[in-house]
Amino acid sequence: MKLIFCLIFSLLSLGLFAQKQGNIWYFGVGYGLDFNSSPPVLMDNGQTSYREACGQAHIEGTATISDSLGNLLFYTDGKKVWDKTHTVMPHGNNLRGGTSSTQSSLIVPTPGKDNEYYIFTTDDFCNDLSWGMRYSVVDRCLNEGKGDVLLEKKNVLLLDTASEKLTAVRHANGIDYWVIGQRYFTNEFYVYLLTNQGISDTVVSAVGNIHTGGGSNNMWHALGQIKASPLRNKVAVGAANCGNILEVFDFNNQTGVLSNPVSLPSTCGAYGVSFSSDGTKLYETPILTQYDLEAGGGNPDSIIASAFVFPNQFQVCFNGLQLGPNGKIYMYDCSGTSISVIGNPNQSGLASNTQLSVYQTPSPHVAFTFSNMIDSYSYTSTGICNPDYIPETTTPTAQIYPNPFTGQTTVKLTQPIQNGTLQLHDALGRLVREEGVQGQQFTIGQGGLPAGLYFL
């Protein structure tokens, strides 16, 4: 396993590490979690609510984004977009996401633009996936700083007959994003490159199982989550409703290509999937199961054999999984009345410290899953509307090569510094190394640090 560095370069001792864009979640019938406190605080002031889907009241996928200080910017259920005052944006109605879509929406900041965000949406199987995968663009500095959807960039079609699966991962350059969707009835993954110019490239990988089947419309297996590892090197996907599909792929974050599928046994299809924060474990639901992705050096047979099905006391039916910015994994039980937490998901088996019913959400069937986030939480956009703000692109930058790495890596700055300080934080924000540096180029050794994602 390798170490991966994300560069956060600061001048004048400005502490820029604390990036909190994923600290607020809204989901279900008005519920939310606020990660600006430890432990997170359960909220009930959101506006997401039941809508008609599949012939019944329903609420499923949502997405939320905050600024770099952890203040709410806006959130969506794939149909409406609410601003930080919990008011629908002037043009924030009638997005084409599905009320019953597992991952109906995902918010991704436009690289290099602190005011602009893409909302990606997917339709649901109840609507025969008719609206496909689309995007709408929000300028959060419009409407007196509360944000609005740009009419000329609203509900732009990317992929027809897309499944309910939607995630994103940071590009190897540390700036751009790969946005990942899947065409249903096929084994094709569509990976879109988002740069400061918008969607600039599409990579198609035909790999793994063909997803199809279930129900009268043959589309039930469109359900289920897709997630990218926080280490940006793996992608996992499940097919729910007894689709019996749970797969993990290698992901090349330089090229956007998925490869080397490993098909894992699934008792009745995987609705929820999540990687641990160090990328070594994969979890699935509805029957809570853990896989060790490093078993046998990553050998597929060893990974399959590593399956740990949690014992009877943990065999509550669970729906969606979501890795939090604190490194814990959150799970919704199938009754929709409580949230459970995997406290140490990097650990094996019962050492993962799974705690049942940590939060109570009294409304029945309040949610199937949580706010859809980028699991590495490697956001850089501040979301701050300030005419005096100096964007990151005007500050000195650096190259880090190789990255990921083992042994040692080189850091080369665009201009020399004197009496500088290098700090390394792990994925949970803990300072793990600090040393003085100067000049324009220097090396960093692994120095006993475990494999993982680090902020430099």
Side-chain angles (χ1 to χ4, degrees):
M1 288 294 293
K2 298 182 177 181
L3 280 72
I4 298 177
F5 278 174
C6 290
L7 179 70
I8 299 178
F9 192 81
S10 60
L11 290 178
L12 303 177
S13 298
L14 293 177
L16 295 183
F17 171 75
Q19 301 294 298
K20 301 179 180 180
Q21 291 91 336
N23 274 20
I24 301 288
W25 300 356
Y26 279 105
F27 48 84
V29 184
Y31 282 101
L33 284 172
D34 183 350
F35 288 86
N36 291 303
S37 300
S38 183
V41 174
L42 184 68
M43 304 180 292
D44 60 1
N45 63 339
Q47 297 301 304
T48 53
S49 62
Y50 288 134
R51 296 176 186 273
E52 183 71 18
C54 300
Q56 60 182 339
H58 211 88
I59 176 67
E60 204 153 348
T62 63
T64 315
I65 194 73
S66 300
D67 66 21
S68 57
L69 302 177
N71 301 307
L72 176 67
L73 291 179
F74 60 92
Y75 57 103
T76 179
D77 63 356
K79 292 289 189 183
K80 293 184 177 182
V81 187
W82 291 270
D83 65 27
K84 61 185 179 182
T85 70
H86 304 282
T87 303
V88 176
M89 290 181 181
H91 301 100
N93 281 300
N94 300 318
L95 268 62
R96 298 304 190 188
T99 300
S100 180
S101 176
T102 308
Q103 292 170 295
S104 70
S105 47
L106 178 69
I107 300 170
V108 183
T110 304
K113 296 182 180 180
D114 284 301
N115 64 309
E116 189 175 278
Y117 296 80
Y118 277 66
I119 299 177
F120 295 90
T121 59
T122 60
D123 202 0
D124 57 52
F125 82 96
C126 302
N127 195 41
D128 294 336
L129 310 176
S130 299
W131 291 116
M133 179 177 172
R134 297 173 181 260
Y135 72 80
S136 301
V137 177
V138 170
D139 187 334
R140 63 91 60 268
C141 296
L142 296 178
N143 189 28
E144 299 179 338
K146 294 190 289 291
D148 199 5
V149 179
L150 304 180
L151 282 175
E152 67 273 19
K153 296 181 179 180
K154 183 175 179 179
N155 291 324
V156 179
L157 180 64
L158 280 175
L159 178 64
D160 58 9
T161 322
S163 71
E164 299 182 7
K165 310 176 199 304
L166 181 59
T167 193
V169 61
R170 179 74 76 169
H171 189 283
N173 62 21
I175 299 171
D176 303 321
Y177 293 92
W178 296 108
V179 181
I180 306 172
Q182 182 205 41
R183 172 167 269 159
Y184 197 59
F185 298 118
T186 76
N187 65 345
E188 296 174 348
F189 292 89
Y190 281 68
V191 184
Y192 301 92
L193 180 60
L194 178 63
T195 73
N196 63 355
Q197 301 299 310
I199 300 295
S200 63
D201 194 14
T202 305
V203 179
V204 181
S205 296
V207 61
N209 285 290
I210 294 176
H211 288 231
T212 185
S216 59
N217 60 358
N218 209 31
M219 291 188 178
W220 280 11
H221 300 168
L223 282 70
Q225 293 178 315
I226 183 172
K227 295 291 182 66
S229 167
L231 299 190
R232 305 180 293 173
N233 62 345
K234 299 280 187 182
V235 169
V237 62
N241 277 43
C242 295
N244 295 321
I245 293 176
L246 175 62
E247 294 176 292
V248 61
F249 304 85
D250 289 338
F251 180 72
N252 187 322
N253 67 346
Q254 178 70 48
T255 64
V257 172
L258 286 83
S259 61
N260 301 323
V262 177
S263 185
L264 303 175
S266 182
T267 304
C268 193
Y271 180 92
V273 295
S274 179
F275 292 90
S276 60
S277 62
D278 68 356
T280 64
K281 307 297 187 297
L282 179 68
Y283 292 82
E284 72 148 326
T285 59
I287 296 175
L288 184 58
T289 305
Q290 179 198 76
Y291 294 91
D292 184 352
L293 300 179
E294 291 190 328
N299 175 270
D301 290 337
S302 298
I303 294 173
I304 293 170
S306 75
F308 177 81
V309 179
F310 282 71
N312 290 338
Q313 65 266 36
F314 297 102
Q315 286 311 321
V316 179
C317 172
F318 295 105
N319 279 322
L321 300 176
Q322 181 57 52
L323 178 68
N326 57 5
K328 300 179 180 182
I329 293 176
Y330 292 77
M331 309 183 290
Y332 237 122
D333 71 81
C334 294
S335 70
T337 58
S338 69
I339 298 169
S340 298
V341 181
I342 305 175
N344 298 302
N346 296 333
Q347 302 301 314
S348 298
L350 293 180
S352 61
N353 187 27
T354 297
Q355 302 171 18
L356 298 178
S357 302
V358 175
Y359 299 94
Q360 299 296 323
T361 52
S363 300
H365 302 291
V366 65
F368 283 78
T369 187
F370 301 96
S371 186
N372 193 15
M373 312 301 297
I374 298 174
D375 278 11
S376 63
Y377 290 93
S378 55
Y379 301 96
T380 56
S381 175
T382 67
I384 298 173
C385 296
N386 184 342
D388 298 324
Y389 172 71
I390 301 174
E392 288 184 17
T393 53
T394 66
T395 65
T397 58
Q399 292 178 298
I400 305 176
Y401 54 91
N403 188 29
F405 77 96
T406 54
Q408 71 175 30
T409 189
T410 297
V411 178
K412 183 176 182 180
L413 306 177
T414 54
Q415 62 188 54
I417 60 172
Q418 294 182 347
N419 301 320
T421 300
L422 178 147
Q423 291 185 335
L424 290 182
H425 294 79
D426 65 15
L428 299 182
R430 298 173 297 200
L431 180 65
V432 295
R433 185 183 298 176
E434 184 174 42
E435 60 188 66
V437 292
Q438 60 181 354
Q440 192 166 358
Q441 181 172 311
F442 46 89
T443 60
I444 301 173
Q446 186 168 350
L449 291 174
L453 178 69
Y454 293 88
F455 294 88
L456 165 66

